Amino acid sequence: MKELVENSTDAGSTDIRIEILYGGKRLIKVSDNGEGMDKEDALLCFERYATSKLHNEEDLFRLSTMGFRGEALPSITSIAKVRLVTALKSTHQGVSIEIQGGEIKSVKDSPSVGTTVEVRDLFFNTPARRKFLKAHNTESFHVIDRVTEQALAHHEIGFSLVSDNREIMRIPVASSPRERIVQIYGEEFVGGLIDINRETADIKMNCFVAKESNLRSSKTYQFIFINKRPIRDPSLTHAIYNAYEGILPQKKHPVFFLFLTIDPGVVDVNVHPAKREVRFENKEPIYNFVLSGIKDALPRPLQPKTHDFPSTSVISEALELGYKTCVSFIPFGDAFIAVSEPGGLTLVDQHAAHERVLYERFLGGVDINPHPLLFPRQLQLSHKEYHVVLANSSILKDFGMELDDFGHNSIVVRSLPEVLRDADIRGILADIASCLIGGVAPDRELRETLAAKIACHRSVRGKTILKQEEVDQLLSDLQKCLHPESCPHGRPTRIFLSLEDLKKMFKRT
Ligand code: ADP
Ligand code: MG
């Protein structure tokens, strides 16, 4: 699918339509309105190493198209039943060619516009390889991911995706990368990004990165494009993380959409079989360019702020408290509190402690009572998130989140549990979606995993100094937990140093 779409983008198309059946196993069909081919080229394009993308020797070193190896079509036709219908732009003739397992079966005249390639019954002649295909759903999610990526890379092209006869993506032509990101993820999402533009003689960067208030707990929204090609590049990713140094809490990730335009003479896009990695003549200046561009745009340094601790609906029963209602404590760095106790000293990791408290409440059904929202919130999700979240709406309902389909990738949140009232719902749903797609650890139930995710989102983050009442509440709530000693991920919530321990440390015994 990716190779076919790349051919369509190379052909100067402005509209690309993708249709799949059974996650693409039964059918992958890509239609475009590009320049097309005449009959002679149409017959030639299935030959190995046949490409129209090299016009002279220099082109080999200055590639600006997505392909040029002439391998995709022959490889596809050797393992599937393929039909190509194409007509050279502005001619009325066209041709339809059927080819199966590499063998041409029929050639007919067929007037058409642009090019359509239909690939049926993937691996029909190599059943052993067919087994490696994943479940329909998984394959469809991969297709959505790849189309999303292509759509981000080519804002000037309109895309639509139909899966099992249902249109699940429709993205009209956009005027800028920003508009394209809005089309896919919504205005609200883009509101959380900073738009950075930089240019030197050899390199141009347009980059959208998360504001400091919009960091995520997964790497879902991280894209790098070089000359319109989606790539993975650990060192450029590192440059971006590096730009966030000092403002990125542990286990948090920035959102980024990095679009680089670099002289094709200095990047080699041909090293990787799936063309997902590139090699640079000299990486360092590009690394520094990205790092400094983003770093300069991010506000710093930041003052730790007081956290608006979520109001809890549970009234603490003072009698059961292991702590006095007004404990004396010292905030320690920006993540710990030290509490003095009769027999020694307890060090508390406030984030871990709060996570434990929320986690047990969610699992126990406390705080889950759905509160209908006076103004239901409409949220736009990515195509993939939208489908996963809706497919699992009944589990979410168990967590007090009631939502409805609003069409076009949007959902309406009708009720939320009290504790999530003013949380980042979009972020939580995105996180839940990625864990539903990724599957849960075998020793855990989905409910537990979701509870842990939600708890993690809602809990006190680092760089937060808690007020007296908040510390009192947190410690008393923690004391009431079934397993107060560790957070849902297994990290300790508190460490007790007895007077004895301290004496030993100071060699007083
Ligand atoms: P490559 O893209 O590396 O050239 P492919 O096997 O993917 O190799 O395609 C072979 C050739 O077929 C291309 O070079 C192009 O000339 C032609 N072709 C394939 N798809 C299309 C399309 N959608 N529109 C026009 N020409 C196409
Ligand atoms: Mg190609």
Side-chain angles (χ1 to χ4, degrees):
M1 198 277 309
K2 171 178 166 284
E3 292 289 341
L4 298 178
V5 170
E6 284 183 354
N7 282 343
S8 296
T9 62
D10 279 346
S13 313
T14 55
D15 189 29
I16 300 177
R17 182 180 171 82
I18 300 126
E19 235 177 290
I20 56 170
L21 290 175
Y22 290 90
K25 296 177 194 180
R26 189 68 65 77
L27 171 74
I28 299 171
K29 178 174 171 184
V30 176
S31 316
D32 66 49
N33 62 352
E35 66 202 16
M37 283 175 272
D38 62 18
K39 192 167 174 177
E40 192 191 344
D41 278 350
L43 283 162
L44 201 61
C45 73
F46 297 115
E47 301 285 334
R48 209 159 278 277
Y49 313 127
T51 183
S52 61
K53 298 172 191 173
L54 298 174
H55 298 287
N56 50 46
E57 209 176 312
E58 269 84 71
D59 277 358
L60 260 177
F61 307 102
R62 307 188 57 84
L63 181 78
S64 58
T65 59
M66 298 298 134
F68 84 99
R69 293 192 293 207
E71 282 172 337
L73 289 180
S75 313
I76 295 168
T77 52
S78 68
I79 48 95
K81 303 170 185 168
V82 176
R83 188 153 80 120
L84 165 75
V85 182
T86 186
L88 198 59
K89 200 159 208 162
S90 74
T91 61
H92 296 287
Q93 299 103 309
V95 63
S96 162
I97 300 173
E98 276 177 46
I99 181 164
Q100 226 179 76
E103 238 176 85
I104 292 187
K105 296 282 178 193
S106 89
V107 181
K108 279 185 262 173
D109 286 339
S110 166
S112 58
V113 175
T115 301
T116 297
V117 182
E118 276 177 35
V119 177
R120 286 184 195 272
D121 301 332
L122 269 190
F123 302 124
F124 78 101
N125 50 0
T126 47
R129 288 183 67 188
R130 193 164 55 222
K131 285 200 201 110
F132 285 98
L133 292 172
K134 304 272 169 17
H136 303 335
N137 260 345
T138 313
E139 294 291 353
S140 325
F141 288 140
H142 288 317
V143 171
I144 296 179
D145 279 344
R146 294 289 88 77
V147 177
T148 304
E149 222 168 56
Q150 290 293 331
L152 286 167
H154 300 275
H155 67 266
E156 70 289 354
I157 301 177
F159 288 86
S160 53
L161 171 63
V162 175
S163 171
D164 296 328
N165 300 313
R166 247 177 8 117
E167 184 173 84
I168 59 174
M169 286 173 100
R170 170 176 286 277
I171 309 175
V173 170
S175 58
S176 63
R178 184 187 189 280
E179 188 186 342
R180 182 48 55 91
I181 301 174
V182 171
Q183 290 173 327
I184 297 177
Y185 300 100
E187 271 293 349
E188 189 186 344
F189 180 89
V190 176
L193 305 178
I194 309 172
D195 183 351
I196 305 166
N197 288 285
R198 282 261 177 130
E199 197 169 345
T200 68
D202 332 292
I203 178 167
K204 195 174 141 193
M205 158 164 103
N206 178 205
C207 184
F208 299 83
V209 297
K211 291 180 182 163
E212 200 237 346
S213 54
N214 188 31
L215 301 165
R216 307 281 164 153
S217 41
S218 79
K219 299 180 180 176
T220 312
Y221 311 102
Q222 301 190 339
F223 295 90
I224 301 177
F225 302 90
I226 294 188
N227 299 346
K228 293 192 169 286
R229 187 190 293 272
I231 60 145
R232 309 225 178 289
D233 190 279
S235 85
L236 288 180
T237 304
H238 187 267
I240 299 171
Y241 273 79
N242 215 349
Y244 279 87
E245 202 195 299
I247 49 176
L248 192 66
Q250 247 195 2
K251 292 209 265 168
K252 283 278 151 186
H253 303 277
V255 171
F256 58 80
F257 298 82
L258 173 63
F259 300 92
L260 290 176
T261 312
I262 305 176
D263 175 355
V266 301
V267 280
D268 183 356
V269 289
N270 202 29
V271 282
H272 191 258
K275 296 175 275 184
R276 295 196 64 80
E277 283 169 28
V278 296
R279 185 185 292 142
F280 299 93
E281 219 171 69
N282 184 1
K283 192 73 157 277
E284 210 183 310
I286 302 175
Y287 181 99
N288 289 330
F289 177 74
V290 170
L291 169 63
S292 65
I294 299 177
K295 199 168 176 159
D296 293 347
L298 290 167
R300 69 187 50 238
L302 296 131
Q303 292 299 316
K305 49 177 176 244
T306 342
H307 185 79
D308 60 322
F309 201 63
S311 60
T312 51
S313 50
V314 182
I315 300 158
S316 37
E317 291 139 273
L319 272 181
E320 281 177 26
L321 296 188
Y323 298 89
K324 288 177 271 149
T325 31
C326 199
V327 294
S328 54
F329 73 99
I330 304 167
F332 225 2
D334 48 23
F336 300 101
I337 30 188
V339 182
S340 112
E341 307 220 32
L345 175 77
T346 299
L347 296 170
V348 180
D349 176 328
Q350 59 192 39
H351 176 66
H354 196 210
E355 247 182 289
R356 162 56 62 184
V357 169
L358 292 176
Y359 173 71
E360 291 200 6
R361 282 202 196 145
F362 288 144
L363 272 189
V366 183
D367 282 358
I368 280 184
N369 305 340
H371 283 252
L373 299 182
L374 193 54
F375 303 105
R377 277 194 64 192
Q378 191 187 327
L379 290 177
Q380 187 177 341
L381 300 173
S382 78
H383 297 82
K384 185 157 114 182
E385 289 159 357
Y386 169 74
H387 288 282
V388 181
V389 162
L390 283 181
N392 290 282
S393 58
S394 64
I395 302 178
L396 295 176
K397 199 171 168 188
D398 288 347
F399 283 97
M401 290 186 226
E402 286 180 57
L403 26 103
D404 282 334
D405 189 357
F406 202 64
H408 299 288
N409 283 351
S410 294
I411 55 159
V412 176
V413 182
R414 303 213 174 275
S415 71
L416 284 175
E418 177 66 30
V419 281
L420 293 185
R421 267 285 188 91
D422 36 34
D424 166 23
I425 292 305
R426 202 192 174 286
I428 293 177
L429 287 176
D431 228 24
I432 287 177
S434 75
C435 111
L436 287 167
I437 294 162
V440 298
D443 58 334
R444 278 217 164 185
E445 281 186 25
L446 185 57
R447 280 180 58 79
E448 290 173 16
T449 308
L450 292 189
K453 279 266 175 255
I454 301 173
C456 178
H457 257 280
R458 204 50 195 117
S459 52
V460 193
R461 294 285 148 68
K463 295 204 186 304
T464 298
I465 293 171
L466 296 182
K467 299 192 209 103
Q468 177 73 50
E469 316 87 82
E470 294 166 344
V471 172
D472 292 339
Q473 183 77 56
L474 179 61
L475 296 181
S476 80
D477 289 343
L478 181 65
Q479 188 60 22
K480 281 184 271 173
C481 283
L482 267 167
H483 300 286
E485 300 308 330
S486 64
C487 82
H489 307 101
R491 284 184 293 108
T493 52
R494 57 185 184 189
I495 291 170
F496 179 69
L497 291 174
S498 69
L499 221 55
E500 290 309 306
D501 295 336
L502 289 170
K503 278 183 186 160
K504 267 187 217 148
M505 287 180 195
F506 285 99
K507 308 220 183 298
R508 277 175 166 267
T509 44

